[in-house]
Amino acid sequence: MRFSAATVLAVAPLALAMTPKEMLAAPRRSEFIPNPSGDSAAFSETTYDWDEHEASTVWKLMDVNSGDITTLSEDPSVSELFWVGPKDTSILYINATNPDVSGGITMYMTDATSFGDASLVAALPAPYAGLKATTTNSGDIHFLVTCLAYENGTAYNEELVTTPPSTARIYTDTFVRHWDTWLTPERSALFSGVLSASNSSGGYSNSSSSYTFGGELTNLLHNMEAPVTRPEVPVQPFGDSGDYDLSPDGATVAFLTKAPELSKQNYTASYIYLVPFDGSSTPEPINGPGKAPSHAKGASAAPRWSPDGKSLAYLQMDNRVYESDKNHIYVATIGGGYANSSKISELAGNWDRSPDILQWSSSGKSVLVGAPDLGNEKLFGVPLNATTDYKPSNITKGDKTGSVAAVYSLPDGTILISDSSVYSSRTVYSVSEDGSNTKQLFAANEVDKELSGLGPEDIDQFYYKGNFTDVQAWITYPEGFDKSKKYPLAFIVHGGPQGGWYNAWSTRWNFKVWADQGYVAIMPNPTGSSGFGQYFQDKIQNNWGSYPYDDLVKCWETLATDQFPYIDTDNGIEAGASYGGFMTNWIQGHDLGRKFKALVTHDGITSTQNGYASEELWFIQHDFNGTLWDDRENYFIWDPISHADQFATPHFVVHSSMDYRLPESEGLMLFNALQERGVPSRFLNFPDESHWVQNRENSLVWHTEIFNWINHYSGLDVKQAIDTSQYVVSK
């Protein structure tokens, strides 16, 4: 039976549970970071005030036993903290200001029981960040921080730099810009420093006010050999403090950086290095050429010291030109703390999952790894004696578990997990290593008014027949969903392309916000998606417009059957970003495009033949299985603009100016083609955004404009929070 848009409105009155404005202003919480005993966990909480147009951040403390939460600090300058010092409640934190040096920072020691009574221990003349620290046997604190650095090894402070007379930039290498930044001579570097503990008698002190800083930081990367690519830690643009680790005794630092002998525009390879904390010798790789297993040549990740400091766990891929190759789990036994005496073992080598989170268990007898798994990010335990065929078991089995974001193993053997789901921006719980005794400690949807009423009943999943296997898809229902009524379809395609839709919270593509406009939102995981086996993921190579498109067609056809009587496919819309944007453009030129009332492309590829305008050339050359000149057909066969003569469905286009991964010319090309063909279309540009729209004010405009567009064509009459007419340049 066919339903008109008017019929949909008549039978499905709307009661919005969560608007874009509410979702964007709702508290955003960091991972919960436990203290050494595991009794307390600190976290930051950021909210947004639409009247003041500004965000505010506070730090809070949760009792891990009861879940009770108290305020730790309301000082907006506290940017990060680390549990370290003479007591279990001692904290070292960074204040993002320096009254004596513009752009510098200060460091304070304090106690969780009296946070306001902090003592200044260091004033640093540059914007250092990424704090990690440990207390040595002498009572001193060894700490690590990162900062951009000049080629001579000294820290870079942009606010102290003299502006040159010309803005010219001259490059002699292909890699001139990356994601949202034009490259400069400075590189991220890792620095070590010491806070000395002393008291009047010259011995160890139990007071946080007794630490002194000698004023010296050591650049641990300086003087490393770099025949092709200079080292940087963390690796940009997404690297963080997870790219390095400090041994428990404070003597040795492990870090990862790009392979110095290879060009980073053509290769993904990176190695794990060891260096003495004091920088007394040059860093040495433990898994570089000739040291790693022969098949391990790709990107490394997550170096983590064992609790006893004798071993280092890490992840590494085999393929050195593929960012989404399978991550293998390795443990290196470090002899005497030096790379040359390390022995590397692989754990569970045949496991058909690719972990992206790694931590040690508190016992040191196993590692804990998070990995995409069937539309979720789950946690698995892997013992150190795991054989090649060992298959790890899922630890996160609870009904209310979503996608794991952070993991800490507590001294009593339990695991503290921060996760999120479609219905909760942050959930925290503890669980035993065998997956039993799950205890929820915090859930955002139970305390945040903006998320009130959201729960597991808002989502579901189903499988349908795809090209190679059954394909999974998520369903998100609107507020007040009634399966006896009809709701237009919101069909949303994920980016990557090797990625996926997971049961996880997002402030960019929040399924519940889309559904609460009055849609049943469907998020498929077609060929190329992660967490369904490496074969399924890798089949997208050189097949961008074939297998995934076929899977999406099959998904739509399944939705149009009696299996989903509550979905109105006649008035559906489709949207996608990045690779999802490419797929939206491909859909526009093919039969599936005629099944939707409107389309939305966010920062997608319009012509695959423009791939060399990007920066990471290994990406396009891998996914299109060759170069533009030697394998031109591979770039032509899945080119959306080649089918512009079929463009007909109303199409909303978003493309931001600082997206250097997919330059804004892709969005302009699409919009121009649509306009020239007389297809109803609208173009939204943010000059200060990159691949994602992150500024909340911009994001509110993004949601308002897109929802006005799709709701108009699907027939939903939903009023948005703001009037965007002031931003219209042309009509």
Side-chain angles (χ1 to χ4, degrees):
M1 181 178 181
R2 296 175 62 85
F3 287 77
S4 67
T7 303
V8 174
L9 290 174
V11 300
L14 302 179
L16 297 183
M18 185 167 59
T19 67
K21 197 170 186 178
E22 290 171 331
M23 181 271 294
L24 293 168
R28 302 184 185 185
R29 298 175 178 87
S30 69
E31 62 188 64
F32 283 46
I33 309 165
N35 67 343
S37 68
D39 293 332
S40 301
F43 64 97
S44 65
E45 181 178 286
T46 302
T47 54
Y48 194 77
D49 188 319
W50 292 108
D51 294 326
E52 298 296 328
H53 302 285
E54 65 180 14
S56 59
T57 299
V58 299
W59 285 85
K60 295 188 174 182
L61 194 67
M62 182 186 73
D63 184 306
V64 174
N65 296 309
S66 67
D68 293 341
I69 291 176
T70 56
T71 298
L72 191 61
S73 172
E74 294 182 337
D75 183 349
S77 298
V78 177
S79 59
E80 53 185 284
L81 57 78
F82 202 91
W83 295 99
V84 68
K87 295 188 290 184
D88 186 58
T89 51
S90 297
I91 291 175
L92 174 65
Y93 73 83
I94 289 179
N95 182 303
T97 64
N98 185 328
D100 298 320
V101 181
S102 179
I105 61 105
T106 46
M107 298 174 66
Y108 289 81
M109 282 296 302
T110 190
D111 193 278
T113 60
S114 55
F115 196 92
D117 298 330
S119 300
L120 175 67
V121 292
L124 305 179
Y128 294 92
L131 177 65
K132 283 193 171 182
T134 192
T135 302
T136 66
N137 289 335
S138 68
D140 293 346
I141 292 176
H142 285 190
F143 69 90
L144 301 174
V145 285
T146 65
C147 187
L148 280 176
Y150 292 102
E151 291 189 61
N152 66 7
T154 59
Y156 172 82
N157 185 341
E158 184 179 14
E159 296 193 25
L160 303 182
V161 175
T162 302
T163 303
S166 172
T167 59
R169 293 183 288 229
I170 301 172
Y171 297 89
T172 59
D173 190 284
T174 309
F175 210 69
V176 302
R177 60 186 192 177
H178 198 195
W179 280 91
D180 60 357
T181 304
W182 286 84
L183 265 68
T184 64
E186 299 78 38
R187 295 290 184 272
S188 297
L190 184 62
F191 293 83
S192 62
V194 177
L195 298 178
S196 299
S198 61
N199 59 26
S200 58
S201 61
Y204 173 74
S205 171
N206 196 40
S207 170
S208 63
S209 63
S210 64
Y211 290 93
T212 58
F213 176 59
E216 294 185 2
L217 291 176
T218 301
N219 185 334
L220 298 177
L221 308 188
H222 192 48
N223 295 325
M224 280 183 66
E225 291 188 11
V228 178
T229 294
R230 287 167 53 197
E232 59 176 349
V233 179
V235 174
Q236 299 302 305
F238 304 121
D240 56 22
S241 60
D243 284 0
Y244 50 92
D245 202 20
L246 179 58
S247 62
D249 63 2
T252 311
V253 176
F255 65 85
L256 69 90
T257 190
K258 287 286 188 178
E261 79 280 10
L262 300 173
S263 60
K264 59 183 177 182
Q265 69 266 24
N266 294 114
Y267 297 94
T268 60
S270 60
Y271 310 138
I272 307 291
Y273 287 77
L274 296 185
V275 61
F277 173 82
D278 61 5
S280 56
S281 63
T282 303
E284 303 229 3
I286 64 170
N287 63 336
K291 297 183 178 181
S294 59
H295 56 83
K297 300 178 180 179
S300 302
R304 300 289 184 268
W305 286 102
S306 61
D308 63 6
K310 296 180 180 179
S311 299
L312 188 79
Y314 66 93
L315 306 173
Q316 189 175 15
M317 299 178 182
D318 288 348
N319 195 321
R320 64 180 187 171
V321 295
Y322 182 27
E323 67 174 345
S324 299
D325 195 19
K326 174 187 168 181
N327 264 323
H328 295 258
I329 307 167
Y330 294 100
V331 173
T333 302
I334 309 300
Y338 295 99
N340 287 332
S341 58
S342 63
K343 178 182 178 182
I344 298 174
S345 301
E346 183 178 358
L347 308 182
N350 289 341
W351 184 38
D352 196 15
R353 289 294 181 267
S354 183
D356 49 22
I357 295 174
L358 175 66
Q359 293 288 359
W360 284 85
S361 67
S362 58
S363 68
K365 297 179 180 179
S366 64
V367 292
L368 306 170
V369 297
D373 182 58
L374 306 179
N376 293 276
E377 175 86 10
K378 292 300 185 183
L379 184 68
F380 302 84
V382 184
L384 296 189
N385 62 358
T387 62
T388 300
D389 293 327
Y390 182 83
K391 186 175 181 180
S393 298
N394 174 26
I395 295 173
T396 45
K397 305 171 184 177
D399 293 338
K400 293 186 178 181
T401 60
S403 290
V404 175
V407 177
Y408 291 92
S409 185
L410 305 181
D412 65 1
T414 61
I415 304 167
L416 185 68
I417 295 175
S418 299
D419 84 354
S420 76
S421 60
V422 170
Y423 49 85
S424 179
S425 58
R426 176 64 73 229
T427 301
V428 180
Y429 57 95
S430 61
V431 63
S432 301
E433 285 190 35
D434 61 2
S436 63
N437 301 317
T438 299
K439 179 183 178 182
Q440 180 177 296
L441 298 166
F442 176 84
N445 61 316
E446 296 177 3
V447 299
D448 296 341
K449 64 180 185 300
E450 299 89 349
L451 280 59
S452 177
L454 304 187
E457 66 277 4
D458 292 322
I459 63 170
D460 204 345
Q461 62 180 312
F462 68 96
Y463 283 78
Y464 63 93
K465 293 293 183 183
N467 279 285
F468 309 107
T469 185
D470 289 345
V471 175
Q472 187 260 4
W474 286 106
I475 308 174
T476 304
Y477 301 111
E479 175 67 11
F481 173 73
D482 184 340
K483 65 181 180 181
S484 69
K485 299 174 181 177
K486 280 274 189 178
Y487 303 84
L489 166 68
F491 194 78
I492 308 175
V493 182
H494 70 69
Q498 297 88 357
W501 287 136
Y502 307 136
N503 179 20
W505 185 263
S506 173
T507 55
R508 297 194 303 266
W509 290 83
N510 187 288
F511 305 152
K512 194 66 173 79
V513 166
W514 282 71
D516 278 355
Q517 291 292 303
Y519 298 92
V520 170
I522 301 295
M523 291 69 62
N525 280 313
T527 300
S529 300
S530 305
F532 300 90
Q534 202 66 29
Y535 176 83
F536 183 76
Q537 177 182 283
D538 292 348
K539 286 299 290 184
I540 199 172
Q541 183 185 22
N542 207 29
N543 284 298
W544 273 29
S546 61
Y547 301 139
Y549 175 77
D550 292 343
D551 285 343
L552 295 175
V553 170
K554 290 178 171 64
C555 183
W556 186 92
E557 291 173 345
T558 301
L559 297 171
T561 67
D562 292 341
Q563 183 181 348
F564 298 93
Y566 50 83
I567 296 181
D568 177 12
T569 53
D570 291 334
N571 290 289
I573 63 91
E574 186 274 345
S578 194
Y579 171 79
F582 158 86
M583 181 54 70
T584 300
N585 300 341
W586 185 256
I587 285 171
Q588 172 68 282
H590 291 79
D591 291 344
L592 187 56
R594 308 294 78 78
K595 305 294 186 182
F596 298 107
K597 292 295 186 183
L599 305 174
V600 179
T601 291
H602 174 102
D603 288 35
I605 291 178
T606 301
S607 177
T608 50
Q609 298 185 70
N610 294 338
Y612 279 77
S614 186
E615 9 79 319
E616 294 172 341
L617 300 183
W618 47 259
F619 172 77
I620 198 74
Q621 290 174 169
H622 171 272
D623 271 38
F624 286 85
N625 202 25
T627 64
L628 181 62
W629 43 92
D630 290 332
D631 306 277
R632 188 173 184 83
E633 178 62 21
N634 295 353
Y635 290 77
F636 178 78
I637 190 172
W638 310 123
D639 193 358
I641 199 66
S642 298
H643 303 274
D645 60 327
Q646 299 299 311
F647 288 3
T649 300
H651 202 145
F652 191 96
V653 183
V654 186
H655 218 114
S656 296
S657 299
M658 291 179 65
D659 186 352
Y660 306 147
R661 177 77 159 178
L662 299 175
E664 65 184 325
S665 56
E666 294 295 305
L668 291 169
M669 177 189 293
L670 174 61
F671 180 63
N672 290 344
L674 292 164
Q675 288 280 302
E676 288 298 299
R677 282 195 46 78
V679 179
S681 48
R682 193 172 178 89
F683 182 71
L684 174 60
N685 169 263
F686 296 101
D688 56 345
E689 298 284 4
S690 57
H691 200 55
W692 304 287
V693 176
Q694 296 179 308
N695 176 284
R696 289 176 179 84
E697 302 284 348
N698 288 344
S699 185
L700 183 57
V701 173
W702 185 92
H703 281 89
T704 298
E705 280 288 300
I706 289 176
F707 287 167
N708 280 339
W709 182 266
I710 63 175
N711 293 347
H712 170 75
Y713 285 101
S714 67
L716 293 176
D717 183 16
V718 182
K719 183 177 177 58
Q720 302 305 312
I722 62 170
D723 178 7
T724 58
S725 60
Q726 62 179 308
Y727 305 114
V728 177
V729 177
S730 59
K731 297 182 180 178

